[in-house]
Structure formats: structure tokens, C-alpha cells
Amino acid sequence: MLSELQLKSKFVGALVGTGVGDTLGRPFEGFRRPFTVDTVKFGGKYTDDTEMAIGVAESLVEKQGFDGEHMAWTFIRNFNPSRGYGWGPPQIFKWIKEGLSWDKASRKLFNGTGSWGNGAAMRIVPIGTFYFDDFEELKKVAHQSSLITHSHILGIEGAVLQACSVALAVRLTPESFDPQIFVNKLLQIVQEDVYRKKLDIIRKFLRGKPDEVRIIEELGNGIAAFDSVPTALFSFLSHPKSFKEAVRYAVCLGGDSDTIGAMCGGISGAFHGVEGIPDEWRKNLENAEYIESLAEKLWQVKTTYKK
Ligand code: F2R
Ligand code: MG
Ligand code: MG
């Protein structure tokens, strides 16, 4: 059983971990490997991943739970193009401003197929923490929140997988951790073939860790949710003892490095709590005080207004 303070530290760790992973990965986004951990330096601004995760947390706090319309308008209010958004979200914001409803606009993207990008997964961390104790509600809200920008099933399922990974990380402590059991739990949740296959690959890789080239070949490091959510998860599971090692490993895989870093940082931060994040990174994160206080408010809402 987690104490109140442990839980608070995990809420803060998850959101700060997202910002830190995003900031570390930002200079390498879109670049090919190889990078070494020595190349990874902390500094600069966070990107759309963190800006949107902040929006998710703000909306959950203001509405004391999920409200799709409010969350969509929070994204629109916060939108700063200089953060480096994907092509889809700004289009959707425009359509919502023109009058399309928050859960229909995203269906117009890519000739009606919707986006399978990782944008719904990269921002999901506050939902994973807020609903950590109720998997049915968590899956439902993760799905609904994805619809604001991502209506393709593979974009949605990536967000559900990331949300459930964060929730499991909140529930567990390093003393009660077995990476194979962690993956088995996720296999009970995930339905889509591409994710089930990648979770099986993760199980195999955890038994005898292959080199980075093979990890990128088999798990991916791209902008698609199915090429990045499993990769971020593996980065955490293969480095469960240290936030720093997990996130540096994730970022060094290259490709969509800010997002793989952000998602790994969200899971690892939820697992270790904010004390597990190196001070130098935590304190130098852009808007660090605001992000920490927002995560604390989210925890307060969670513990004050139990369903
Ligand atoms: N966009 C970026 N980075 C590029 C610019 C950064 C640069 N350094 C700068 O500072 O300016 N990063 C961010 O985008 C990713 C999240 O993207 P999201 O929100 O999922 O966007 P979108 O447009 O929905 O999907 C991304 C792309 O995937 C392809 N795609 C998706 N669904 C598709 C479909 N059904 N058919 C065909 N293609 C599809 C498209 O190319 C989309 O544009 C994160 O990396 C975040 O950091
Ligand atoms: Mg980004
Ligand atoms: Mg990215």
C-alpha cells in the first residue's frame, strides 16, 4: 500500500519525468543514431509533448476529472507552434474553432482514417496517474482523450498502452517489480496485433538484451504510436533501477527521441517518484515550479475527491 506522500511523489515524478525526457530528446528528434550518453546534455525548452501533457493535467484539475470538450479547448488555448507540433493537431484545432465537435474533428484527418501518430500517447501521463487505481475507467478515458486528435485505432491503442504502463508504474515500487509480469499485465489489456507482437518482442529482449540497432529494427523509433510507445516501454523495463539510465537510453535510440524520451520519462518518473529524477534535470526543467505544482494539484484532486 502506497502512502499519501509516495503517491504524491509519483504524480509529480510522472509529469516532471515527461518534461525532462522531452527536453533531453529534443535536440536529437528526427536524427539517426548513433548517439552516446555523453552527447545527451540537459537544457533548452520542452516541446509539444510536455505542452500537451500540461494541458491534460490542467483540464483534469479544473474539471476534477475528464471532460473532452474542456480538454480540447485547453489544448487550443495552450497551443504554441514553436513547440514543434505534428501536422495533425493544428489542423484539428482550426476545425474545432470553426465549429466541429471535439470528438469528431480528428476523424477528418488523413482522408478520414484518422492519425496513428504518437501524439495522443505522448501527452497521456496525467490520465495514467489520475486513474491509476481503476483500469476500466483508465482505458475508457485514455480512449476518449485520444479522440480529440487521434481517431485511428492504432493511435488510440498506443495511448491506452502508455496510460496503462504509467498506471502500473504508479502502483508498483522497485521492491515489488518484475518486468515480465509488467508486460503480461499489459498483454491482458492490449488488443491490436501490432502491439501484442511488440509486447512479445519486449519479453524476448528482456531475457537477453540485444544491441540498439536490433531494438530499433524490431520495436521502431518513429513517429507512429506503434513504433515508439513499445520502444519507450522497453527503455524503462530494461533499466528499472534508474530514471537517469532509462531516459538516456531512450533518447539515444534517436528517431522520435523527444517523444520516446518523454514517454519513458513518464513511466520511469511514475515508478521512482520525483526523488528518482536527478536534481540538475529536475530544477533546470523549463517552468519546473509550475509543472511540479500542477502535478501536486492533480494529486490533491485525486485524493480529495475520490469517486
Ligand atoms: N512534429 C514533431 N516534430 C517535427 C518538427 C520538430 C522540429 N524539431 C521543430 O522544432 O519544429 N514532433 C511532434 O510530432 C509527434 C506527434 O505527432 P502527432 O501529434 O501524432 O501528429 P500527427 O500529424 O497526427 O501524426 C504524425 C505524422 O504521422 C503520419 N501519419 C499519422 N497518421 C497517418 C495516417 N493515417 N496516414 C498517413 N500518415 C499518417 C503523418 O506524417 C503525420 O503528420 C511527436 O514526435 C511530437 O514530438
Ligand atoms: Mg515533441
Ligand atoms: Mg517527437
Side-chain angles (χ1 to χ4, degrees):
M1 180 76 177
L2 295 170
S3 72
E4 294 275 286
L5 282 182
Q6 273 176 310
L7 191 61
K8 181 177 169 186
S9 168
K10 282 170 169 276
F11 270 55
V12 179
L15 196 57
V16 172
T18 301
V20 162
D22 180 19
T23 306
L24 279 168
R26 182 180 190 223
F28 307 105
E29 192 188 24
F31 286 75
R32 280 170 178 268
R33 282 195 86 249
F35 310 119
T36 63
V37 288
D38 299 332
T39 333
V40 179
K41 301 267 185 291
F42 193 79
K45 285 163 74 169
Y46 54 71
T47 79
D48 58 331
D49 305 50
T50 308
E51 181 160 279
M52 292 197 92
I54 288 173
V56 171
E58 287 172 340
S59 181
L60 290 173
V61 167
E62 280 174 47
K63 301 307 285 187
Q64 294 172 14
F66 178 68
D67 177 325
E69 176 142 26
H70 185 270
M71 194 171 281
W73 282 100
T74 308
F75 292 156
I76 292 169
R77 184 191 71 201
N78 289 354
F79 174 52
N80 172 355
S82 78
R83 297 281 182 195
Y85 277 69
W87 182 81
Q91 279 297 318
I92 291 161
F93 299 160
K94 183 171 144 283
W95 291 329
I96 294 176
K97 285 202 269 186
E98 286 168 359
L100 274 189
S101 76
W102 69 271
D103 57 345
K104 303 272 183 324
S106 67
R107 296 188 200 168
K108 275 183 69 170
L109 276 188
F110 304 111
N111 297 321
T113 54
S115 172
W116 37 243
N118 53 20
M122 75 189 184
R123 66 177 187 236
I124 201 91
V125 84
I127 290 174
T129 52
F130 195 74
Y131 295 98
F132 82 96
D133 53 351
D134 183 346
F135 266 98
E136 285 316 306
E137 192 65 10
L138 173 62
K139 283 189 281 178
K140 205 171 87 194
V141 174
H143 186 118
Q144 291 258 300
S145 74
S146 300
L147 289 180
I148 302 171
T149 49
H150 291 69
S151 55
H152 193 291
I153 185 60
L154 296 181
I156 296 169
E157 186 92 318
V160 171
L161 175 58
Q162 173 68 9
C164 291
S165 301
V166 170
L168 281 173
V170 172
R171 290 178 184 205
L172 296 169
T173 57
E175 301 78 53
S176 61
F177 182 71
D178 179 329
Q180 295 285 351
I181 294 176
F182 198 102
V183 180
N184 289 345
K185 291 217 166 105
L186 293 171
L187 274 165
Q188 289 165 16
I189 291 161
V190 166
Q191 313 273 326
E192 292 300 314
D193 233 32
V194 62
Y195 288 104
R196 296 188 65 79
K197 282 190 182 138
K198 291 207 171 177
L199 287 173
D200 276 336
I201 295 171
I202 290 177
R203 282 207 297 206
K204 178 182 77 181
F205 283 173
L206 285 170
R207 286 194 288 268
K209 201 169 116 190
D211 67 23
E212 284 82 356
V213 173
R214 186 133 172 252
I215 284 160
I216 294 166
E217 264 169 24
E218 295 202 35
L219 292 180
N221 65 354
I223 209 165
F226 45 85
D227 281 336
S228 48
V229 177
T231 315
L233 174 64
F234 175 74
S235 302
F236 160 66
L237 291 172
S238 56
H239 300 84
K241 295 206 170 109
S242 156
F243 176 92
K244 186 173 185 174
E245 280 175 26
V247 174
R248 293 223 293 194
Y249 178 84
V251 164
C252 288
L253 292 173
D256 197 355
S257 51
D258 65 325
T259 302
I260 297 173
M263 294 191 292
C264 172
I267 306 170
S268 188
F271 185 62
H272 293 287
V274 71
E275 296 80 13
I277 301 175
D279 262 0
E280 183 204 346
W281 292 355
R282 177 181 166 186
K283 302 285 180 230
N284 289 317
L285 173 63
E286 185 191 3
N287 292 333
E289 265 181 44
Y290 177 70
I291 291 173
E292 293 206 12
S293 73
L294 178 62
E296 281 179 23
K297 276 190 201 143
L298 188 66
W299 165 79
Q300 254 161 12
V301 174
K302 173 72 183 172
T303 49
T304 316
Y305 306 96
K306 286 213 170 92
K307 278 190 283 113

